[in-house]
Amino acid sequence: MSAIPKEITIYDIARALNVSAATVSRGLAGHESVNIKTRQKITEAAQAMGYRSNQLASNLRKQKSNVIGIMMGTLRSSFMSNVIAGAEEILSKAGYNLIISQTLESLSKEINTAKAMYNNRVDGLMVSLAYETENLDHFDSFVQRGIPLVYFDRVYPHPHCIGVSIDNVKAGYDITEHLIKQGCKRIMHMTAFKLSSVAADRFAGYKKALEDYNIPFDENLITLTPLALTDGTEVARQMLDMENRPDGIFVANDACAVSCIQELKRLGINVPGDIAVAGFNNDTEACIIEPNLTTVNYNGYEMGRTAATHLLDQLIDPSKKSEKNQIILDSDIIIRESSLKKA
Amino acid sequence: MSAIPKEITIYDIARALNVSAATVSRGLAGHESVNIKTRQKITEAAQAMGYRSNQLASNLRKQKSNVIGIMMGTLRSSFMSNVIAGAEEILSKAGYNLIISQTLESLSKEINTAKAMYNNRVDGLMVSLAYETENLDHFDSFVQRGIPLVYFDRVYPHPHCIGVSIDNVKAGYDITEHLIKQGCKRIMHMTAFKLSSVAADRFAGYKKALEDYNIPFDENLITLTPLALTDGTEVARQMLDMENRPDGIFVANDACAVSCIQELKRLGINVPGDIAVAGFNNDTEACIIEPNLTTVNYNGYEMGRTAATHLLDQLIDPSKKSEKNQIILDSDIIIRESSLKKA
DNA sequence: ATGAAAGCGCTAACAG
DNA sequence: CTGTTAGCGCTTTCAT
């Protein structure tokens, strides 16, 4: 077991080269005002002596962590891994590190995580809200301090922050329209218990589609739950018991749509024959379940890149509040067997 | 536009309470030696004054970043998002932050990323190696400094570091055996150009299975490529041109297996009828492609948790080098249509 | 083009 | 139980 070598500091280099620490600091930073030959000597000495800059000291001095935080309900989804991949690419190019935290959809964990990020002095934050979240008070500290904040995917409109998302109204409309065109007359909608703006938008799209196709809106066909797996199962059972059974359902996320299909099958209901099912997100499960799930797909990678880019813009020029602070990305519906009544 | 409020420091609190900064520091840390009443006053004042601890200063003072780095080829895979989710859960509970970086499978990016992590003074590192990587020299600095390092998934045996992976020999064996049992006599194997230990192990499993079933090993049935998407396409074409056409192929990753299937179909070859195909990883694509892909599945979430736990163990007690430093997790093959010659 | 000196905010000996 | 003091290693005025 060999001893751990001592850390080299700019003072060591300064001593070795008979210059001041200030010069070494400037030299390593590639400062123009330092003589080119001195600069070279410094770089060489640093290399030879095995120097590594101490970011911890630099961070303190500059009051800047060079870290961007990103938080979301869960990162166990292909969508989210794409978001992160996109954000990481943009941010690492700009010299920032990305720290990640999951809220596991809990508001209290979201509050704690936000606080932790704040205390860790992230230079900026990207947030996709937890299902439970109903207001943005716990992010006020960021706004007050002028720390750039970008919401993505699960956004709430906020006057001072950018939001990057898809057009959930349109997506909800499109998928409902698809079900209608498959011949569905009584379409259930299963959405989030606490109506986040995302869920509310999908709901609005659903309503609008019914309206446009002259299908009466029926309160009884709406189920509000936390969209857990068990909720899908539960709703499947409820459907069975309804006097006027629905012939289609639009569920606001895939996980729930999948558990719903599973239970329907268990109960002997044919999907899509008896009941057509559509989800939202195009998660991995969507193409594992039999029949494969019709759903809404959107590009997480682009969303990550877009959100990160806007964050950087603010970091570079805080005054430049972009005019439009709600950015809408494209989405499209992917039609699979779970909704195809007509071949 | 309101002015940004001044940051409160422990000195402000000290002044307000007429105690020393040291006492405030100790009080906030919940140090037993501080009078319980003083401690309470301190916490209250901190709260009231809007204090937040400056981690940047604390980090410098303690020479500890409280950050764990994790790096991998790409995080755009459901497997990887599960690994990260698992690691994040364990690490955040222990008070660590996770910073993420992708190498995009490039050795030079891996070297740079490792250097960046090192300079950023991560307290520990989790690494899944890039395809290109052939040695671990660029991680020496971590070993020398005694910074805990855990390899996961794509590991290279390293005497001083823990590796968490699956038994790739066994997995390679099992999937080859499955193809044999489906009646395949001439099974190709497509694997990584630079034989990482992971790829080498899968290859070894393949060979062993052939041996056990008395199928002669044929050098011509082995293709070494970087396993890019285009390589799958290319190999599909090659298969068509072979005088003695193979009746099965085991590809060392799913992405490549999928592109191979796509091209085979385009060329009018029936999968699995003419050629059975098996992949590795159980990525999202595996159940999008028609026919769905037979592949090897393993639990990224568990792997992330395991790797993080071992990292923490070392962080807590650096002397406690675990005896076994290669940890093997379970894996299993998932049989889908792409390999089913017999109903 | 370089140096001197101060300080970012916190923690940990050490002393009392 | 609390205070004094001395840095952690770097950056940045301000001088020269």
Side-chain angles (χ1 to χ4, degrees):
Chain A
M1 182 100 191
S2 57
I4 292 172
K6 178 186 167 304
E7 288 276 3
I8 305 297
T9 74
I10 54 171
Y11 287 99
D12 298 316
I13 301 179
R15 204 172 314 117
L17 261 43
N18 248 311
V19 293
S20 75
T23 301
V24 175
S25 174
R26 285 190 278 248
L28 290 170
H31 216 291
E32 284 297 328
S33 70
V34 176
N35 186 314
I36 178 83
K37 291 191 74 172
T38 325
R39 242 188 293 166
Q40 218 157 322
K41 272 199 308 186
I42 291 169
T43 329
E44 278 162 17
Q47 178 69 37
M49 298 169 73
Y51 169 80
R52 62 165 170 164
S53 82
N54 190 332
Q55 286 298 330
L56 271 42
S58 171
N59 288 346
L60 171 59
R61 176 60 227 236
K62 299 208 259 192
Q63 293 292 37
K64 191 168 183 301
S65 64
N66 258 294
V67 167
I68 303 296
I70 183 169
M71 49 194 280
M72 72 280 296
T74 168
L75 46 80
R76 296 182 78 170
S77 85
S78 58
F79 167 72
M80 210 43 94
S81 72
N82 281 325
V83 172
I84 298 167
E88 195 272 342
E89 269 190 49
I90 297 288
L91 295 174
S92 72
K93 256 181 214 151
Y96 283 94
N97 287 124
L98 229 207
I99 83 176
I100 296 204
S101 224
Q102 312 182 79
T103 62
L104 301 177
E105 305 298 358
S106 132
L107 174 58
S108 69
K109 243 212 132 197
E110 183 171 283
I111 292 174
N112 287 338
T113 303
K115 198 175 291 179
M117 294 270 186
Y118 181 68
N119 286 335
N120 279 310
R121 281 179 155 70
V122 294
D123 293 334
L125 188 62
M126 299 173 56
V127 181
S128 173
L129 297 167
Y131 271 128
E132 287 187 16
T133 303
E134 285 182 310
N135 69 63
L136 303 176
D137 293 352
H138 45 300
F139 296 110
D140 277 356
S141 42
F142 290 90
V143 178
Q144 277 167 31
R145 280 243 107 69
I147 301 167
L149 188 49
V150 171
Y151 296 101
F152 67 93
D153 193 32
R154 299 232 207 100
V155 303
Y156 245 92
H158 187 293
H160 293 303
C161 301
I162 291 179
V164 180
S165 62
I166 58 164
D167 186 338
N168 283 288
V169 179
K170 179 176 179 300
Y173 184 95
D174 289 349
I175 207 145
T176 308
E177 180 180 47
H178 162 71
L179 290 174
I180 295 171
K181 288 194 171 164
Q182 288 299 311
C184 296
K185 304 279 180 212
R186 287 180 50 73
I187 303 171
M188 281 193 80
H189 180 41
M190 174 171 187
T191 185
F193 186 54
K194 316 216 175 172
L195 275 181
S196 69
S197 68
V198 172
D201 286 352
R202 291 174 194 174
F203 190 12
Y206 161 86
K207 271 184 163 165
K208 182 72 166 45
L210 294 185
E211 201 181 307
D212 285 2
Y213 285 86
N214 294 312
I215 298 180
F217 171 72
D218 181 351
E219 191 75 57
N220 298 316
L221 293 177
I222 305 302
T223 344
L224 301 180
T225 72
L227 291 181
L229 290 186
T230 49
D231 296 317
T233 313
E234 186 54 39
V235 165
R237 294 193 194 127
Q238 285 173 23
M239 289 173 99
L240 203 63
D241 294 340
M242 292 172 71
E243 74 278 29
N244 195 354
R245 194 183 292 172
D247 50 11
I249 180 168
F250 162 34
V251 185
N253 83 18
D254 279 355
C256 223
V258 164
S259 68
C260 184
I261 290 181
Q262 287 173 323
E263 185 67 11
L264 286 174
K265 282 166 69 178
R266 215 172 288 130
L267 295 168
I269 307 284
N270 179 275
V271 177
D274 298 329
I275 300 181
V277 180
F280 210 107
N281 269 22
N282 195 25
D283 277 339
T284 316
E285 316 93 285
C287 49
I288 296 179
I289 186 73
E290 294 287 342
N292 282 194
L293 182 66
T294 291
T295 187
V296 175
N297 180 60
Y298 50 115
N299 190 330
Y301 185 70
E302 259 327 302
M303 191 175 280
R305 290 174 61 93
T306 306
T309 304
H310 282 273
L311 194 64
L312 280 182
D313 283 352
Q314 287 185 72
L315 240 19
I316 292 162
D317 182 2
S319 68
K320 184 183 143 203
K321 288 274 170 211
S322 58
E323 295 307 299
K324 275 179 42 189
N325 65 359
Q326 295 305 313
I327 292 138
I328 305 299
L329 301 182
D330 278 345
S331 65
D332 43 60
I333 64 175
I334 296 188
I335 296 166
R336 300 206 181 93
E337 299 94 70
S338 73
S339 67
L340 284 181
K341 298 216 183 206
K342 308 169 176 177
Chain B
M1 179 103 191
S2 58
I4 293 172
K6 177 186 168 306
E7 288 278 2
I8 306 297
T9 73
I10 54 172
Y11 287 98
D12 298 316
I13 301 179
R15 204 172 313 119
L17 260 43
N18 247 313
V19 294
S20 74
T23 302
V24 176
S25 173
R26 286 190 280 248
L28 290 170
H31 217 288
E32 284 297 329
S33 69
V34 177
N35 186 314
I36 180 85
K37 292 191 72 173
T38 324
R39 242 189 292 167
Q40 219 158 321
K41 273 199 307 184
I42 291 170
T43 329
E44 278 162 16
Q47 178 70 39
M49 299 169 73
Y51 169 80
R52 63 164 167 164
S53 81
N54 190 330
Q55 285 298 329
L56 273 38
S58 172
N59 288 346
L60 171 61
R61 177 61 227 233
K62 299 208 257 191
Q63 295 291 36
K64 191 167 181 307
S65 64
N66 258 293
V67 167
I68 303 295
I70 184 170
M71 49 195 279
M72 71 282 293
T74 168
L75 45 82
R76 297 182 78 167
S77 85
S78 58
F79 166 72
M80 210 43 94
S81 72
N82 282 325
V83 172
I84 299 167
E88 195 273 342
E89 270 191 48
I90 297 288
L91 295 174
S92 71
K93 255 181 214 150
Y96 284 93
N97 287 123
L98 231 207
I99 82 176
I100 296 202
S101 224
Q102 311 182 79
T103 62
L104 302 177
E105 305 298 359
S106 130
L107 173 58
S108 69
K109 242 210 134 199
E110 183 170 283
I111 293 174
N112 287 338
T113 304
K115 199 175 290 180
M117 295 270 185
Y118 181 69
N119 287 334
N120 279 311
R121 282 182 156 70
V122 293
D123 292 334
L125 188 63
M126 298 173 57
V127 181
S128 173
L129 298 167
Y131 271 130
E132 286 187 16
T133 302
E134 286 184 309
N135 71 63
L136 303 175
D137 294 352
H138 44 301
F139 296 110
D140 278 354
S141 42
F142 291 89
V143 178
Q144 277 168 30
R145 281 242 108 68
I147 301 167
L149 186 50
V150 171
Y151 296 101
F152 67 93
D153 192 34
R154 297 231 208 102
V155 304
Y156 244 92
H158 188 291
H160 293 302
C161 302
I162 292 178
V164 180
S165 62
I166 58 164
D167 186 337
N168 283 288
V169 178
K170 180 175 178 303
Y173 183 98
D174 289 350
I175 207 146
T176 308
E177 179 180 48
H178 162 72
L179 290 174
I180 294 171
K181 287 192 172 163
Q182 287 299 311
C184 295
K185 303 280 181 212
R186 285 180 51 75
I187 303 171
M188 279 192 83
H189 180 40
M190 177 171 183
T191 185
F193 186 53
K194 314 215 177 174
L195 275 181
S196 69
S197 68
V198 173
D201 286 352
R202 292 174 194 173
F203 190 12
Y206 161 85
K207 268 185 166 166
K208 182 73 167 43
L210 294 186
E211 200 181 307
D212 285 2
Y213 285 85
N214 294 312
I215 296 181
F217 171 72
D218 180 351
E219 190 75 57
N220 298 317
L221 293 177
I222 307 303
T223 343
L224 303 180
T225 72
L227 291 181
L229 291 185
T230 50
D231 296 318
T233 313
E234 185 54 37
V235 165
R237 293 192 194 128
Q238 285 172 24
M239 290 172 98
L240 202 65
D241 293 340
M242 291 171 72
E243 74 277 28
N244 196 354
R245 196 184 290 173
D247 50 11
I249 180 168
F250 163 33
V251 186
N253 83 16
D254 280 356
C256 223
V258 165
S259 68
C260 184
I261 291 180
Q262 287 174 321
E263 186 66 13
L264 286 174
K265 282 166 70 179
R266 216 173 289 130
L267 295 170
I269 307 286
N270 179 274
V271 177
D274 298 329
I275 299 181
V277 180
F280 210 106
N281 269 24
N282 196 24
D283 277 339
T284 316
E285 316 94 283
C287 49
I288 297 180
I289 187 74
E290 295 287 343
N292 281 194
L293 182 66
T294 291
T295 188
V296 174
N297 180 59
Y298 50 116
N299 191 330
Y301 186 70
E302 260 326 303
M303 191 176 280
R305 290 174 62 92
T306 306
T309 304
H310 281 273
L311 195 64
L312 281 182
D313 283 351
Q314 288 185 69
L315 240 20
I316 291 160
D317 183 0
S319 68
K320 185 182 143 204
K321 287 277 169 208
S322 59
E323 296 306 300
K324 271 178 47 186
N325 65 359
Q326 295 306 312
I327 293 138
I328 305 299
L329 301 181
D330 278 344
S331 65
D332 43 60
I333 65 175
I334 296 188
I335 295 166
R336 299 207 182 93
E337 300 95 70
S338 74
S339 68
L340 284 181
K341 299 217 181 207
K342 308 170 177 178

